Structure formats: structure tokens, C-alpha cells
Amino acid sequence: MKLAIAILNWNGKKLLKRFLPSVIKNSPEASVFIIDNASDDGSQNYIIKNHPGLQLIQLDANFGFAGGYNRGLKKINAELVCLLNNDVL
């Protein structure tokens, strides 16, 4: 089974720094995707620099919760997708 974890982010760099390492550590069988809703807090650069193995989907605007997920999920090819908030340990 191909499992993907999709995390929607908007200006959550502090949350990603705090919680993302735990998600990665505890999900070795999953592909982790960050769907970024056009953050302007350095979130995208943080992911690129510190987690190059993750898939970063960069949206060109903040489409909100449902809109961001709907656009990002179209770019993920997996049998099962777990939607996870960026503040989950």
C-alpha cells in the first residue's frame, strides 16, 4: 500500500520546526507532503533546507483549509492519504 501524509501549512514555520521531525521519525513507510498555502514566514525555505526528502507543493495563494487541501491533493498519487495538521506530534 502506498501511504502519503499531507500536511497543509500557512505561515507555520515554528510549528513545522517543532512537530515535523516527530512525524517523519514515526512514519518511515509514508511519503510526507507539505502543501504550502503561499506562506511568507520562510516555511518553504525551511522545508527545502532542512527536509529535502519531503515533497513540497507550493501553492501560489492562500486558498484556505479546504481549497489548499483540494489543490494539493490533486498532486499526490497514493492509495491512502492521511491529512494531518501541522501541529501534530
Side-chain angles (χ1 to χ4, degrees):
M1 173 179 10
K2 186 175 177 188
L3 171 64
I5 296 174
I7 300 172
L8 185 67
N9 181 67
W10 180 73
N11 287 341
K13 180 179 170 183
K14 289 181 183 178
L15 294 173
L16 292 172
K17 282 183 172 181
R18 182 173 176 195
F19 297 112
L20 188 55
S22 172
V23 172
I24 294 167
K25 178 183 175 186
N26 292 297
S27 307
E29 72 288 353
S31 297
V32 179
F33 291 80
I34 305 297
I35 304 168
D36 191 80
N37 246 341
S39 294
D40 60 10
D41 70 342
S43 291
Q44 297 170 356
N45 287 335
Y46 169 76
I47 294 298
I48 292 167
K49 182 179 178 184
N50 296 285
H51 300 286
L54 301 187
Q55 304 290 326
L56 176 60
I57 299 170
Q58 299 181 53
L59 303 179
D60 59 358
N62 182 349
F63 294 101
F65 186 81
Y69 266 125
N70 285 335
R71 283 170 175 80
L73 290 174
K74 289 179 182 178
K75 299 180 182 206
I76 298 173
N77 181 20
E79 292 177 31
L80 183 62
V81 179
C82 171
L83 306 184
L84 196 66
N85 288 345
N86 62 356
D87 62 351
V88 171
L89 181 62

